[in-house]
Amino acid sequence: MFRKLMAGEFGQVRAEMIAHDHVLSSLGGRTADQALEAGIGAKEVWTAVCDAFEIPPDRR
């Protein structure tokens, strides 16, 4: 579901780039991919991405 939400919000290519490259301080200085691999829940990672990119509540 996380990948589907990311692609829906950012487009497939940009979503993959963000997940792989964008470091999120709220996830301990990890990228979304690193956070997921570390066992952080997809909902928490999605919320961190939404906060970082100021995604409006109605699209979260």
Side-chain angles (χ1 to χ4, degrees):
M1 185 68 166
F2 173 77
R3 299 282 177 203
K4 184 177 179 178
L5 290 169
M6 288 286 288
E9 184 61 39
F10 301 106
Q12 187 67 40
V13 173
R14 185 165 183 233
E16 290 301 318
M17 289 173 39
I18 290 169
H20 182 73
D21 297 328
H22 190 83
V23 174
L24 299 156
S25 60
S26 63
L27 296 175
R30 297 178 178 101
T31 66
D33 285 345
Q34 290 169 334
L36 292 169
E37 289 172 14
I40 296 174
K43 185 174 183 176
E44 184 177 344
V45 175
W46 173 243
T47 299
V49 170
C50 289
D51 289 346
F53 287 88
E54 299 179 350
I55 305 301
D58 63 316
R59 294 199 322 249
R60 290 180 176 219

